[in-house]
Amino acid sequence: MTIHNLYIFSKNGTLLYYAEWNRLNKSGITKEEEAKLMYGMLFSIKSFVNKISPLDPKEGFLYYKTSKYTLHYFETPSGLKFVLNTDNASQNARELLQQLYRDVSNLFLIKNPLCQLNEPIQSELFKLKVDELFKKSPLFLSRTI
Amino acid sequence: MVIYGVYIVSKSGGLIFNHDHNVPRIENERVFNYPLDLKLRYENKKIVVSFGQKEGINVGHVLTAVNGNAVIGRELENGKDVFDLLEEPECFPLSLKFSRARMTTNEKIFLASMFYPLFAIASQLSPEPRCSGIEILEADTFRLHCYQTLTGIKFIVVAESTQSGIEILLKRVFELYADYALKNPFYSLEMPIRCELFETNLQTLLENVEKSGASSA
């Protein structure tokens, strides 16, 4: 089980934070372009899911799965979007994202008055805490070991 | 255990077949007094609820009838504007009927071509090399399964999250497609599938899978 990478987007699509742990494939485009592509895809998936859903959706899109990886998606009511790529065997990645939002973002981001909302995150403490949280998680198992 | 629908998308991204299997009808009729405790909005030639969901009438539901008269666009059958009607206190109480918007064929074609780039981007943004596109997409109300054949045709099944045996079902649909659509001399590739045998066989297959899961597929 591995965690590949993490994206955090703001309400209007700015990439707030990106971190990667085990990533073998580079998409061949710059990080900014990749973030825009990712956000665009998620935005389309959201409207796709809303239209195709036979019942009234509440949370909407949860995750998608391909042959090699799973993308987990968690959106807060305020529009903050968390995206986590893991391998297919990972369970409960959504809870991990909720935990990230509950513990880390609130404490080290929103309660930090020097942190500008809607701008990429600069806080070193936040980066440290995110890294710590994911490395502690049972989902995280680097293949280099 | 419900299968909501089957879609087939051609190599170039066009919708060539769609079949609604078991789509629930969500309808609510209620008597309202003046003033209305819902906020309505006119968009895409429909009157939709934009705020104030309660008693089964949710945001996004479409106004379909007023006092039993069907609503067409923003007007009643007699040509009266619905928003004007709702402003007049003497017309109340009114019985309004709301339902969840059903996809029109045009919307289905639009969604099918929308799925195509999503599928491609998912494989491009992959953190692992040599990755396929979306195979399963899950939301809280349904799960979408997609199977792409070597020739690039996508078979998509939308079902309840608990429905089992979809992988086998997708391969069986492919088989049916190969047997009844491709062997039909009147069928040209990349064109919409209108083969009776294919549809009847698909219908039986879906019913079997719903009843007893993967075993009979």
mmCIF file of all heavy atoms in Angstrom, chain A residues 4 24-25 34 44 47-48 50 52-56 58-60 62-69 143, chain B residues 4 24 58 61 100 111 114 122 124-133 135-136 138-142:
data_model
loop_
_atom_site.group_PDB
_atom_site.id
_atom_site.type_symbol
_atom_site.label_atom_id
_atom_site.label_comp_id
_atom_site.label_asym_id
_atom_site.label_seq_id
_atom_site.Cartn_x
_atom_site.Cartn_y
_atom_site.Cartn_z
ATOM 1 N N HIS A 4 0.631 8.101 -3.167
ATOM 2 C CA HIS A 4 1.434 8.719 -4.218
ATOM 3 C C HIS A 4 1.585 10.225 -4.019
ATOM 4 O O HIS A 4 2.672 10.719 -3.798
ATOM 5 C CB HIS A 4 0.833 8.437 -5.587
ATOM 6 C CG HIS A 4 0.821 6.994 -5.945
ATOM 7 N ND1 HIS A 4 1.957 6.253 -5.966
ATOM 8 C CD2 HIS A 4 -0.185 6.161 -6.276
ATOM 9 C CE1 HIS A 4 1.652 5.008 -6.309
ATOM 10 N NE2 HIS A 4 0.353 4.932 -6.497
ATOM 11 N N LEU A 24 6.213 7.602 -9.668
ATOM 12 C CA LEU A 24 7.142 7.102 -10.664
ATOM 13 C C LEU A 24 6.964 7.793 -12.000
ATOM 14 O O LEU A 24 7.906 7.997 -12.742
ATOM 15 C CB LEU A 24 6.931 5.596 -10.843
ATOM 16 C CG LEU A 24 7.252 4.786 -9.592
ATOM 17 C CD1 LEU A 24 6.828 3.350 -9.765
ATOM 18 C CD2 LEU A 24 8.740 4.866 -9.295
ATOM 19 N N ASN A 25 5.734 8.156 -12.294
ATOM 20 C CA ASN A 25 5.449 8.700 -13.611
ATOM 21 C C ASN A 25 5.312 10.217 -13.554
ATOM 22 O O ASN A 25 4.530 10.743 -12.792
ATOM 23 C CB ASN A 25 4.135 8.092 -14.122
ATOM 24 C CG ASN A 25 3.848 8.491 -15.545
ATOM 25 O OD1 ASN A 25 4.755 8.531 -16.366
ATOM 26 N ND2 ASN A 25 2.612 8.797 -15.810
ATOM 27 N N GLU A 34 -0.241 20.972 -14.603
ATOM 28 C CA GLU A 34 -0.811 19.729 -14.116
ATOM 29 C C GLU A 34 -1.927 20.008 -13.113
ATOM 30 O O GLU A 34 -2.979 19.374 -13.143
ATOM 31 C CB GLU A 34 0.287 18.891 -13.465
ATOM 32 C CG GLU A 34 -0.179 17.508 -13.123
ATOM 33 C CD GLU A 34 0.834 16.772 -12.280
ATOM 34 O OE1 GLU A 34 1.806 16.287 -12.863
ATOM 35 O OE2 GLU A 34 0.659 16.710 -11.057
ATOM 36 N N SER A 44 -15.165 18.835 -13.876
ATOM 37 C CA SER A 44 -16.026 18.149 -14.838
ATOM 38 C C SER A 44 -16.649 16.913 -14.220
ATOM 39 O O SER A 44 -17.824 16.632 -14.449
ATOM 40 C CB SER A 44 -15.237 17.730 -16.069
ATOM 41 O OG SER A 44 -14.486 18.776 -16.554
ATOM 42 N N SER A 47 -19.678 17.824 -12.123
ATOM 43 C CA SER A 47 -20.926 18.121 -12.829
ATOM 44 C C SER A 47 -21.442 16.876 -13.543
ATOM 45 O O SER A 47 -22.649 16.669 -13.643
ATOM 46 C CB SER A 47 -20.732 19.307 -13.775
ATOM 47 O OG SER A 47 -20.337 18.881 -15.026
ATOM 48 N N PHE A 48 -20.525 16.030 -14.007
ATOM 49 C CA PHE A 48 -20.899 14.755 -14.632
ATOM 50 C C PHE A 48 -21.692 13.892 -13.645
ATOM 51 O O PHE A 48 -22.767 13.379 -13.968
ATOM 52 C CB PHE A 48 -19.620 14.047 -15.075
ATOM 53 C CG PHE A 48 -19.816 12.681 -15.686
ATOM 54 C CD1 PHE A 48 -20.174 12.554 -17.012
ATOM 55 C CD2 PHE A 48 -19.611 11.542 -14.940
ATOM 56 C CE1 PHE A 48 -20.344 11.310 -17.588
ATOM 57 C CE2 PHE A 48 -19.784 10.291 -15.499
ATOM 58 C CZ PHE A 48 -20.151 10.173 -16.823
ATOM 59 N N ASN A 50 -23.272 14.841 -10.935
ATOM 60 C CA ASN A 50 -24.551 15.463 -10.600
ATOM 61 C C ASN A 50 -25.621 15.169 -11.631
ATOM 62 O O ASN A 50 -26.783 14.993 -11.301
ATOM 63 C CB ASN A 50 -24.382 16.975 -10.495
ATOM 64 C CG ASN A 50 -24.141 17.388 -9.074
ATOM 65 O OD1 ASN A 50 -24.697 16.796 -8.170
ATOM 66 N ND2 ASN A 50 -23.311 18.387 -8.884
ATOM 67 N N ILE A 52 -25.590 12.579 -13.999
ATOM 68 C CA ILE A 52 -25.858 11.179 -14.296
ATOM 69 C C ILE A 52 -26.468 10.451 -13.096
ATOM 70 O O ILE A 52 -27.085 9.404 -13.263
ATOM 71 C CB ILE A 52 -24.567 10.491 -14.802
ATOM 72 C CG1 ILE A 52 -24.935 9.366 -15.780
ATOM 73 C CG2 ILE A 52 -23.711 9.965 -13.683
ATOM 74 C CD1 ILE A 52 -23.777 8.812 -16.527
ATOM 75 N N SER A 53 -26.362 11.048 -11.921
ATOM 76 C CA SER A 53 -26.865 10.386 -10.722
ATOM 77 C C SER A 53 -28.377 10.178 -10.792
ATOM 78 O O SER A 53 -29.120 11.114 -11.067
ATOM 79 C CB SER A 53 -26.519 11.233 -9.501
ATOM 80 O OG SER A 53 -27.166 10.706 -8.382
ATOM 81 N N PRO A 54 -28.847 8.947 -10.552
ATOM 82 C CA PRO A 54 -30.276 8.671 -10.635
ATOM 83 C C PRO A 54 -31.055 9.210 -9.432
ATOM 84 O O PRO A 54 -32.247 9.434 -9.520
ATOM 85 C CB PRO A 54 -30.348 7.149 -10.688
ATOM 86 C CG PRO A 54 -29.083 6.686 -10.089
ATOM 87 C CD PRO A 54 -28.062 7.738 -10.294
ATOM 88 N N LEU A 55 -30.374 9.426 -8.318
ATOM 89 C CA LEU A 55 -31.024 9.964 -7.120
ATOM 90 C C LEU A 55 -30.364 11.293 -6.778
ATOM 91 O O LEU A 55 -29.355 11.659 -7.364
ATOM 92 C CB LEU A 55 -30.860 8.995 -5.947
ATOM 93 C CG LEU A 55 -31.312 7.567 -6.200
ATOM 94 C CD1 LEU A 55 -30.719 6.630 -5.169
ATOM 95 C CD2 LEU A 55 -32.810 7.498 -6.165
ATOM 96 N N ASP A 56 -30.915 11.987 -5.791
ATOM 97 C CA ASP A 56 -30.302 13.253 -5.408
ATOM 98 C C ASP A 56 -28.992 13.005 -4.690
ATOM 99 O O ASP A 56 -28.967 12.345 -3.651
ATOM 100 C CB ASP A 56 -31.244 14.020 -4.485
ATOM 101 C CG ASP A 56 -32.426 14.569 -5.236
ATOM 102 O OD1 ASP A 56 -32.196 15.253 -6.240
ATOM 103 O OD2 ASP A 56 -33.566 14.305 -4.839
ATOM 104 N N LYS A 58 -25.764 13.609 -2.318
ATOM 105 C CA LYS A 58 -25.475 14.418 -1.138
ATOM 106 C C LYS A 58 -24.020 14.826 -1.149
ATOM 107 O O LYS A 58 -23.686 15.977 -1.275
ATOM 108 C CB LYS A 58 -25.810 13.628 0.139
ATOM 109 C CG LYS A 58 -27.300 13.537 0.357
ATOM 110 C CD LYS A 58 -27.625 13.000 1.730
ATOM 111 C CE LYS A 58 -29.115 12.780 1.900
ATOM 112 N NZ LYS A 58 -29.635 11.698 1.031
ATOM 113 N N GLU A 59 -23.144 13.818 -1.027
ATOM 114 C CA GLU A 59 -21.730 14.138 -1.063
ATOM 115 C C GLU A 59 -21.192 14.188 -2.486
ATOM 116 O O GLU A 59 -20.182 14.811 -2.747
ATOM 117 C CB GLU A 59 -20.945 13.092 -0.265
ATOM 118 C CG GLU A 59 -21.052 13.304 1.223
ATOM 119 C CD GLU A 59 -20.112 12.383 1.964
ATOM 120 O OE1 GLU A 59 -20.490 11.235 2.233
ATOM 121 O OE2 GLU A 59 -18.999 12.818 2.237
ATOM 122 N N GLY A 60 -21.854 13.480 -3.383
ATOM 123 C CA GLY A 60 -21.412 13.454 -4.779
ATOM 124 C C GLY A 60 -20.235 12.529 -4.974
ATOM 125 O O GLY A 60 -20.196 11.437 -4.426
ATOM 126 N N LEU A 62 -16.943 10.486 -4.843
ATOM 127 C CA LEU A 62 -16.120 9.992 -3.744
ATOM 128 C C LEU A 62 -14.716 9.588 -4.198
ATOM 129 O O LEU A 62 -13.729 10.026 -3.641
ATOM 130 C CB LEU A 62 -16.790 8.785 -3.083
ATOM 131 C CG LEU A 62 -18.184 9.009 -2.506
ATOM 132 C CD1 LEU A 62 -18.732 7.722 -1.955
ATOM 133 C CD2 LEU A 62 -18.137 10.063 -1.418
ATOM 134 N N TYR A 63 -14.647 8.721 -5.192
ATOM 135 C CA TYR A 63 -13.331 8.336 -5.709
ATOM 136 C C TYR A 63 -13.463 7.731 -7.089
ATOM 137 O O TYR A 63 -14.562 7.369 -7.509
ATOM 138 C CB TYR A 63 -12.646 7.324 -4.779
ATOM 139 C CG TYR A 63 -13.293 5.955 -4.726
ATOM 140 C CD1 TYR A 63 -13.024 4.997 -5.699
ATOM 141 C CD2 TYR A 63 -14.158 5.622 -3.698
ATOM 142 C CE1 TYR A 63 -13.619 3.749 -5.648
ATOM 143 C CE2 TYR A 63 -14.760 4.374 -3.650
ATOM 144 C CZ TYR A 63 -14.475 3.443 -4.628
ATOM 145 O OH TYR A 63 -15.065 2.210 -4.583
ATOM 146 N N TYR A 64 -12.346 7.658 -7.827
ATOM 147 C CA TYR A 64 -12.346 6.814 -9.010
ATOM 148 C C TYR A 64 -11.129 5.924 -8.973
ATOM 149 O O TYR A 64 -10.150 6.201 -8.291
ATOM 150 C CB TYR A 64 -12.456 7.621 -10.313
ATOM 151 C CG TYR A 64 -11.222 8.363 -10.770
ATOM 152 C CD1 TYR A 64 -10.070 7.684 -11.173
ATOM 153 C CD2 TYR A 64 -11.215 9.749 -10.853
ATOM 154 C CE1 TYR A 64 -8.953 8.364 -11.610
ATOM 155 C CE2 TYR A 64 -10.102 10.435 -11.287
ATOM 156 C CZ TYR A 64 -8.973 9.730 -11.670
ATOM 157 O OH TYR A 64 -7.869 10.410 -12.087
ATOM 158 N N LYS A 65 -11.207 4.861 -9.740
ATOM 159 C CA LYS A 65 -10.190 3.827 -9.703
ATOM 160 C C LYS A 65 -9.753 3.506 -11.124
ATOM 161 O O LYS A 65 -10.605 3.380 -12.005
ATOM 162 C CB LYS A 65 -10.845 2.591 -9.076
ATOM 163 C CG LYS A 65 -9.917 1.614 -8.438
ATOM 164 C CD LYS A 65 -10.740 0.490 -7.874
ATOM 165 C CE LYS A 65 -10.295 0.137 -6.478
ATOM 166 N NZ LYS A 65 -11.181 -0.848 -5.866
ATOM 167 N N THR A 66 -8.468 3.410 -11.358
ATOM 168 C CA THR A 66 -7.984 2.942 -12.654
ATOM 169 C C THR A 66 -7.237 1.634 -12.403
ATOM 170 O O THR A 66 -7.277 1.111 -11.301
ATOM 171 C CB THR A 66 -7.045 3.966 -13.309
ATOM 172 O OG1 THR A 66 -5.821 3.943 -12.588
ATOM 173 C CG2 THR A 66 -7.613 5.367 -13.255
ATOM 174 N N SER A 67 -6.531 1.142 -13.424
ATOM 175 C CA SER A 67 -5.858 -0.139 -13.229
ATOM 176 C C SER A 67 -4.688 -0.022 -12.251
ATOM 177 O O SER A 67 -4.317 -0.982 -11.606
ATOM 178 C CB SER A 67 -5.371 -0.681 -14.564
ATOM 179 O OG SER A 67 -4.422 0.200 -15.107
ATOM 180 N N LYS A 68 -4.108 1.193 -12.105
ATOM 181 C CA LYS A 68 -2.906 1.317 -11.285
ATOM 182 C C LYS A 68 -3.082 2.150 -10.021
ATOM 183 O O LYS A 68 -2.313 2.014 -9.083
ATOM 184 C CB LYS A 68 -1.784 1.959 -12.118
ATOM 185 C CG LYS A 68 -1.264 1.082 -13.241
ATOM 186 C CD LYS A 68 -0.259 0.075 -12.728
ATOM 187 C CE LYS A 68 0.150 -0.909 -13.792
ATOM 188 N NZ LYS A 68 0.880 -0.301 -14.890
ATOM 189 N N TYR A 69 -4.022 3.045 -10.015
ATOM 190 C CA TYR A 69 -4.142 3.906 -8.827
ATOM 191 C C TYR A 69 -5.590 4.288 -8.548
ATOM 192 O O TYR A 69 -6.462 4.103 -9.391
ATOM 193 C CB TYR A 69 -3.285 5.165 -8.986
ATOM 194 C CG TYR A 69 -3.865 6.239 -9.874
ATOM 195 C CD1 TYR A 69 -4.418 7.378 -9.323
ATOM 196 C CD2 TYR A 69 -3.869 6.118 -11.253
ATOM 197 C CE1 TYR A 69 -4.950 8.373 -10.119
ATOM 198 C CE2 TYR A 69 -4.392 7.102 -12.060
ATOM 199 C CZ TYR A 69 -4.936 8.228 -11.492
ATOM 200 O OH TYR A 69 -5.477 9.207 -12.276
ATOM 201 N N ARG A 143 7.789 1.837 -1.207
ATOM 202 C CA ARG A 143 8.290 0.622 -1.836
ATOM 203 C C ARG A 143 9.812 0.557 -1.830
ATOM 204 O O ARG A 143 10.401 -0.441 -2.184
ATOM 205 C CB ARG A 143 7.774 0.517 -3.266
ATOM 206 C CG ARG A 143 6.628 -0.458 -3.366
ATOM 207 C CD ARG A 143 5.945 -0.301 -4.675
ATOM 208 N NE ARG A 143 5.545 1.083 -4.851
ATOM 209 C CZ ARG A 143 4.951 1.528 -5.929
ATOM 210 N NH1 ARG A 143 4.724 0.712 -6.926
ATOM 211 N NH2 ARG A 143 4.599 2.783 -6.024
ATOM 212 N N TYR B 4 -28.930 0.895 -13.008
ATOM 213 C CA TYR B 4 -29.665 2.059 -13.479
ATOM 214 C C TYR B 4 -29.619 2.220 -15.001
ATOM 215 O O TYR B 4 -30.587 2.645 -15.600
ATOM 216 C CB TYR B 4 -29.132 3.331 -12.824
ATOM 217 C CG TYR B 4 -29.333 3.370 -11.325
ATOM 218 C CD1 TYR B 4 -28.268 3.452 -10.457
ATOM 219 C CD2 TYR B 4 -30.616 3.328 -10.792
ATOM 220 C CE1 TYR B 4 -28.463 3.492 -9.090
ATOM 221 C CE2 TYR B 4 -30.817 3.359 -9.428
ATOM 222 C CZ TYR B 4 -29.740 3.449 -8.582
ATOM 223 O OH TYR B 4 -29.936 3.487 -7.232
ATOM 224 N N PRO B 24 -35.314 5.289 -10.882
ATOM 225 C CA PRO B 24 -36.441 5.651 -10.011
ATOM 226 C C PRO B 24 -37.000 7.015 -10.377
ATOM 227 O O PRO B 24 -36.268 7.911 -10.777
ATOM 228 C CB PRO B 24 -35.806 5.665 -8.623
ATOM 229 C CG PRO B 24 -34.365 5.875 -8.859
ATOM 230 C CD PRO B 24 -34.034 5.290 -10.188
ATOM 231 N N ASN B 58 -36.064 18.811 -3.301
ATOM 232 C CA ASN B 58 -34.669 19.187 -3.099
ATOM 233 C C ASN B 58 -34.227 20.251 -4.082
ATOM 234 O O ASN B 58 -34.863 20.459 -5.118
ATOM 235 C CB ASN B 58 -33.773 17.958 -3.266
ATOM 236 C CG ASN B 58 -33.889 17.005 -2.109
ATOM 237 O OD1 ASN B 58 -34.562 17.312 -1.124
ATOM 238 N ND2 ASN B 58 -33.267 15.866 -2.214
ATOM 239 N N HIS B 61 -34.523 20.210 -8.160
ATOM 240 C CA HIS B 61 -35.735 19.606 -8.708
ATOM 241 C C HIS B 61 -36.461 20.587 -9.626
ATOM 242 O O HIS B 61 -36.394 21.792 -9.441
ATOM 243 C CB HIS B 61 -36.666 19.168 -7.571
ATOM 244 C CG HIS B 61 -36.236 17.887 -6.932
ATOM 245 N ND1 HIS B 61 -37.026 17.175 -6.082
ATOM 246 C CD2 HIS B 61 -35.094 17.181 -7.052
ATOM 247 C CE1 HIS B 61 -36.384 16.089 -5.691
ATOM 248 N NE2 HIS B 61 -35.204 16.082 -6.256
ATOM 249 N N ARG B 100 -37.265 15.202 -9.929
ATOM 250 C CA ARG B 100 -35.858 15.290 -10.290
ATOM 251 C C ARG B 100 -35.764 15.249 -11.803
ATOM 252 O O ARG B 100 -36.416 14.438 -12.453
ATOM 253 C CB ARG B 100 -35.085 14.114 -9.680
ATOM 254 C CG ARG B 100 -33.611 14.199 -9.989
ATOM 255 C CD ARG B 100 -32.764 13.261 -9.182
ATOM 256 N NE ARG B 100 -31.446 13.154 -9.780
ATOM 257 C CZ ARG B 100 -30.509 14.066 -9.655
ATOM 258 N NH1 ARG B 100 -30.728 15.144 -8.942
ATOM 259 N NH2 ARG B 100 -29.352 13.915 -10.250
ATOM 260 N N LEU B 111 -23.071 13.945 -22.074
ATOM 261 C CA LEU B 111 -22.339 13.335 -20.959
ATOM 262 C C LEU B 111 -21.373 12.265 -21.450
ATOM 263 O O LEU B 111 -20.283 12.125 -20.917
ATOM 264 C CB LEU B 111 -23.321 12.721 -19.955
ATOM 265 C CG LEU B 111 -24.057 13.706 -19.069
ATOM 266 C CD1 LEU B 111 -24.960 12.964 -18.116
ATOM 267 C CD2 LEU B 111 -23.087 14.569 -18.292
ATOM 268 N N MET B 114 -18.434 13.809 -22.632
ATOM 269 C CA MET B 114 -17.711 14.418 -21.514
ATOM 270 C C MET B 114 -16.881 13.366 -20.775
ATOM 271 O O MET B 114 -15.817 13.674 -20.244
ATOM 272 C CB MET B 114 -18.734 15.010 -20.565
ATOM 273 C CG MET B 114 -18.211 16.001 -19.599
ATOM 274 S SD MET B 114 -19.622 16.852 -18.927
ATOM 275 C CE MET B 114 -19.143 16.946 -17.247
ATOM 276 N N ALA B 122 -7.448 11.064 -16.673
ATOM 277 C CA ALA B 122 -7.155 10.206 -15.525
ATOM 278 C C ALA B 122 -5.928 9.352 -15.801
ATOM 279 O O ALA B 122 -5.131 9.088 -14.900
ATOM 280 C CB ALA B 122 -8.349 9.330 -15.203
ATOM 281 N N GLN B 124 -3.529 10.220 -17.924
ATOM 282 C CA GLN B 124 -2.358 11.096 -18.055
ATOM 283 C C GLN B 124 -1.838 11.566 -16.698
ATOM 284 O O GLN B 124 -0.635 11.723 -16.507
ATOM 285 C CB GLN B 124 -2.702 12.314 -18.918
ATOM 286 C CG GLN B 124 -1.446 12.951 -19.494
ATOM 287 C CD GLN B 124 -1.656 14.374 -19.965
ATOM 288 O OE1 GLN B 124 -2.770 14.839 -20.124
ATOM 289 N NE2 GLN B 124 -0.554 15.062 -20.187
ATOM 290 N N LEU B 125 -2.732 11.821 -15.754
ATOM 291 C CA LEU B 125 -2.315 12.333 -14.448
ATOM 292 C C LEU B 125 -1.868 11.221 -13.506
ATOM 293 O O LEU B 125 -1.628 11.458 -12.333
ATOM 294 C CB LEU B 125 -3.468 13.092 -13.795
ATOM 295 C CG LEU B 125 -3.792 14.453 -14.391
ATOM 296 C CD1 LEU B 125 -5.019 15.026 -13.739
ATOM 297 C CD2 LEU B 125 -2.624 15.393 -14.207
ATOM 298 N N SER B 126 -1.758 10.010 -14.030
ATOM 299 C CA SER B 126 -1.424 8.871 -13.181
ATOM 300 C C SER B 126 -0.030 9.000 -12.569
ATOM 301 O O SER B 126 0.909 9.388 -13.236
ATOM 302 C CB SER B 126 -1.486 7.607 -14.022
ATOM 303 O OG SER B 126 -0.831 6.576 -13.352
ATOM 304 N N PRO B 127 0.102 8.675 -11.278
ATOM 305 C CA PRO B 127 1.421 8.670 -10.660
ATOM 306 C C PRO B 127 2.225 7.419 -11.017
ATOM 307 O O PRO B 127 3.407 7.345 -10.706
ATOM 308 C CB PRO B 127 1.113 8.720 -9.162
ATOM 309 C CG PRO B 127 -0.255 8.192 -9.034
ATOM 310 C CD PRO B 127 -0.963 8.399 -10.316
ATOM 311 N N GLU B 128 1.586 6.464 -11.642
ATOM 312 C CA GLU B 128 2.260 5.231 -12.037
ATOM 313 C C GLU B 128 2.331 5.179 -13.561
ATOM 314 O O GLU B 128 1.405 5.617 -14.228
ATOM 315 C CB GLU B 128 1.448 4.021 -11.554
ATOM 316 C CG GLU B 128 1.378 3.866 -10.059
ATOM 317 C CD GLU B 128 2.507 3.009 -9.530
ATOM 318 O OE1 GLU B 128 2.901 2.064 -10.234
ATOM 319 O OE2 GLU B 128 3.002 3.300 -8.427
ATOM 320 N N PRO B 129 3.391 4.617 -14.097
ATOM 321 C CA PRO B 129 3.450 4.514 -15.550
ATOM 322 C C PRO B 129 2.491 3.460 -16.108
ATOM 323 O O PRO B 129 2.084 2.555 -15.383
ATOM 324 C CB PRO B 129 4.907 4.139 -15.825
ATOM 325 C CG PRO B 129 5.404 3.554 -14.558
ATOM 326 C CD PRO B 129 4.605 4.114 -13.446
ATOM 327 N N ARG B 130 2.163 3.604 -17.390
ATOM 328 C CA ARG B 130 1.311 2.656 -18.117
ATOM 329 C C ARG B 130 0.010 2.353 -17.382
ATOM 330 O O ARG B 130 -0.259 1.230 -16.975
ATOM 331 C CB ARG B 130 2.058 1.351 -18.408
ATOM 332 C CG ARG B 130 3.111 1.480 -19.475
ATOM 333 C CD ARG B 130 3.748 0.144 -19.750
ATOM 334 N NE ARG B 130 4.351 -0.428 -18.567
ATOM 335 C CZ ARG B 130 5.541 -0.072 -18.085
ATOM 336 N NH1 ARG B 130 6.232 0.862 -18.696
ATOM 337 N NH2 ARG B 130 6.016 -0.639 -16.989
ATOM 338 N N CYS B 131 -0.777 3.396 -17.219
ATOM 339 C CA CYS B 131 -2.013 3.238 -16.462
ATOM 340 C C CYS B 131 -3.213 3.344 -17.394
ATOM 341 O O CYS B 131 -3.171 4.056 -18.388
ATOM 342 C CB CYS B 131 -2.074 4.345 -15.405
ATOM 343 S SG CYS B 131 -3.542 4.302 -14.442
ATOM 344 N N SER B 132 -4.274 2.635 -17.056
ATOM 345 C CA SER B 132 -5.494 2.711 -17.863
ATOM 346 C C SER B 132 -6.297 3.946 -17.457
ATOM 347 O O SER B 132 -5.902 4.684 -16.561
ATOM 348 C CB SER B 132 -6.350 1.479 -17.626
ATOM 349 O OG SER B 132 -6.985 1.587 -16.376
ATOM 350 N N GLY B 133 -7.410 4.159 -18.088
ATOM 351 C CA GLY B 133 -8.300 5.255 -17.684
ATOM 352 C C GLY B 133 -9.187 4.821 -16.537
ATOM 353 O O GLY B 133 -8.930 3.796 -15.902
ATOM 354 N N GLU B 135 -11.758 3.097 -14.370
ATOM 355 C CA GLU B 135 -12.468 1.817 -14.434
ATOM 356 C C GLU B 135 -13.714 1.844 -13.546
ATOM 357 O O GLU B 135 -14.743 1.309 -13.901
ATOM 358 C CB GLU B 135 -11.548 0.670 -13.999
ATOM 359 C CG GLU B 135 -10.539 0.326 -15.087
ATOM 360 C CD GLU B 135 -9.561 -0.748 -14.675
ATOM 361 O OE1 GLU B 135 -9.519 -1.116 -13.488
ATOM 362 O OE2 GLU B 135 -8.823 -1.210 -15.565
ATOM 363 N N ILE B 136 -13.571 2.430 -12.356
ATOM 364 C CA ILE B 136 -14.721 2.555 -11.461
ATOM 365 C C ILE B 136 -14.777 3.992 -10.965
ATOM 366 O O ILE B 136 -13.749 4.562 -10.578
ATOM 367 C CB ILE B 136 -14.590 1.608 -10.250
ATOM 368 C CG1 ILE B 136 -14.679 0.160 -10.703
ATOM 369 C CG2 ILE B 136 -15.664 1.897 -9.217
ATOM 370 C CD1 ILE B 136 -14.415 -0.836 -9.607
ATOM 371 N N GLU B 138 -16.996 6.178 -8.228
ATOM 372 C CA GLU B 138 -18.043 6.031 -7.227
ATOM 373 C C GLU B 138 -18.496 7.370 -6.663
ATOM 374 O O GLU B 138 -17.695 8.230 -6.330
ATOM 375 C CB GLU B 138 -17.570 5.129 -6.082
ATOM 376 C CG GLU B 138 -18.655 4.951 -5.045
ATOM 377 C CD GLU B 138 -18.539 3.677 -4.232
ATOM 378 O OE1 GLU B 138 -17.843 2.759 -4.680
ATOM 379 O OE2 GLU B 138 -19.140 3.622 -3.172
ATOM 380 N N ALA B 139 -19.799 7.519 -6.559
ATOM 381 C CA ALA B 139 -20.390 8.656 -5.861
ATOM 382 C C ALA B 139 -21.280 8.078 -4.777
ATOM 383 O O ALA B 139 -21.418 6.863 -4.688
ATOM 384 C CB ALA B 139 -21.188 9.517 -6.823
ATOM 385 N N ASP B 140 -21.889 8.937 -3.954
ATOM 386 C CA ASP B 140 -22.667 8.375 -2.842
ATOM 387 C C ASP B 140 -23.958 7.704 -3.295
ATOM 388 O O ASP B 140 -24.524 6.915 -2.555
ATOM 389 C CB ASP B 140 -22.923 9.430 -1.766
ATOM 390 C CG ASP B 140 -23.573 10.672 -2.330
ATOM 391 O OD1 ASP B 140 -23.660 10.773 -3.561
ATOM 392 O OD2 ASP B 140 -23.982 11.531 -1.548
ATOM 393 N N THR B 141 -24.422 8.004 -4.512
ATOM 394 C CA THR B 141 -25.698 7.426 -4.933
ATOM 395 C C THR B 141 -25.572 6.313 -5.963
ATOM 396 O O THR B 141 -26.545 5.617 -6.245
ATOM 397 C CB THR B 141 -26.600 8.513 -5.533
ATOM 398 O OG1 THR B 141 -25.804 9.285 -6.435
ATOM 399 C CG2 THR B 141 -27.165 9.399 -4.464
ATOM 400 N N PHE B 142 -24.411 6.173 -6.586
ATOM 401 C CA PHE B 142 -24.271 5.141 -7.612
ATOM 402 C C PHE B 142 -22.796 4.809 -7.793
ATOM 403 O O PHE B 142 -21.918 5.484 -7.255
ATOM 404 C CB PHE B 142 -24.842 5.632 -8.947
ATOM 405 C CG PHE B 142 -24.046 6.732 -9.575
ATOM 406 C CD1 PHE B 142 -23.041 6.458 -10.493
ATOM 407 C CD2 PHE B 142 -24.273 8.048 -9.239
ATOM 408 C CE1 PHE B 142 -22.294 7.475 -11.060
ATOM 409 C CE2 PHE B 142 -23.523 9.072 -9.796
ATOM 410 C CZ PHE B 142 -22.540 8.778 -10.718
#
